[in-house]
Amino acid sequence: MTAKVVQLTPLEFEPRAALPTPEAAAHLNRAQQTLRLWACLENGPIRPIRVNGRLAWRVADIKALLGVQ
């Protein structure tokens, strides 16, 4: 089984306000399931927003967590 490669835009140039879980996980160097656990248990360093039942992770929160300007 091969892993899907996610093409990442550097956070400094990211035009979107929120990212889907696979992209957010790649930026944070965490497994997607880790982010889903953060959302479910509400105990992670950042919290997602839900859009039509799907998780979206704010780019501003990811930048703040990583210390990116």
Side-chain angles (χ1 to χ4, degrees):
M1 188 182 264
T2 60
K4 182 179 177 183
V5 176
V6 177
Q7 196 73 337
L8 294 178
T9 300
L11 287 174
E12 299 86 7
F13 304 115
E14 182 58 64
R16 297 173 290 179
L19 301 175
T21 300
E23 291 180 44
H27 278 294
L28 294 169
N29 196 29
R30 296 288 179 259
Q32 294 178 34
Q33 193 60 27
T34 299
L35 274 67
R36 292 186 188 105
L37 275 172
W38 291 351
C40 183
L41 300 175
E42 296 183 350
N43 68 350
I46 58 175
R47 300 253 171 95
I49 56 174
R50 287 176 171 80
V51 180
N52 292 328
R54 295 183 182 258
L55 298 176
W57 302 84
R58 290 182 185 94
V59 173
D61 292 346
I62 296 170
K63 285 180 178 180
L65 184 61
L66 296 176
V68 175
Q69 299 300 330

